[in-house]
Amino acid sequence: MNIRVFYHSSTGNTKKVADAIASAVGVTAEAISEATVMKEPVDLLFIGDGIYFGKPNKNTVRFIQSLSPDTVKHVAVFATYGGQDKIGKDIADCVLSQKLHIVDSPFISAGQSWIFMNREHPNEADLKKAVGFAKSAISKAMT
């Protein structure tokens, strides 16, 4: 099974979750940049981002808009948030607008925001849940 993990992270929170997921599935997490393009078909694509001023990063949205059901069989969405946990749904809606299949509900985790919000998140317990999410997504993508 060809699996990829892509993420955007300005604060490092989403990167921590992406790295945990990537490690669990035996790949390396890849940062989404303005130039990120999928060139090869993938069976399961993990896409993650944080919430910035109420929405996903523009590079993440642009990346998702470049995807096609012809090259991406299944998608699993993950996200981190400081104050608004709607980011998982926002990313999933963007993925669904491309007619891509999402294997499960988005995985969301608190992430430290500013100095006082969600301190010490994502923590070990959050990352352990992310690993469980990754394994479940693979199982669901195989059925």
Side-chain angles (χ1 to χ4, degrees), residues 83-115:
Q84 298 176 323
D85 64 359
K86 71 182 192 81
I87 186 63
K89 182 183 178 326
D90 291 350
I91 297 169
D93 288 347
C94 190
V95 168
L96 290 172
S97 74
Q98 292 303 113
K99 309 289 190 249
L100 298 168
H101 176 256
I102 297 178
V103 295
D104 205 346
S105 297
F107 172 81
I108 59 170
S109 172
Q112 184 170 339
S113 176
W114 307 102
I115 296 173

Side-chain angles (χ1 to χ4, degrees), residues 10-21:
S10 292
T11 62
N13 295 323
T14 308
K15 181 181 184 337
K16 288 179 187 176
V17 175
D19 287 341
I21 288 171

Side-chain angles (χ1 to χ4, degrees), residues 45-109:
L45 175 63
F46 288 88
I47 300 173
D49 201 351
I51 188 165
Y52 306 98
F53 302 103
K55 57 188 174 188
N57 180 272
K58 65 183 179 183
N59 290 330
T60 301
V61 172
R62 186 178 304 121
F63 172 67
I64 293 169
Q65 290 172 340
S66 75
L67 302 175
S68 159
D70 294 335
T71 56
V72 179
K73 190 171 181 182
H74 303 287
V75 177
V77 172
F78 64 98
T80 59
Y81 66 92
Q84 298 176 323
D85 64 359
K86 71 182 192 81
I87 186 63
K89 182 183 178 326
D90 291 350
I91 297 169
D93 288 347
C94 190
V95 168
L96 290 172
S97 74
Q98 292 303 113
K99 309 289 190 249
L100 298 168
H101 176 256
I102 297 178
V103 295
D104 205 346
S105 297
F107 172 81
I108 59 170
S109 172

Side-chain angles (χ1 to χ4, degrees), residues 5 7 11 39 82 86 95 127:
V5 178
Y7 71 93
T11 62
K39 296 180 180 177
K86 71 182 192 81
V95 168
L127 299 178

Side-chain angles (χ1 to χ4, degrees), residues 2 136 142:
N2 184 8
S136 174
M142 293 177 72

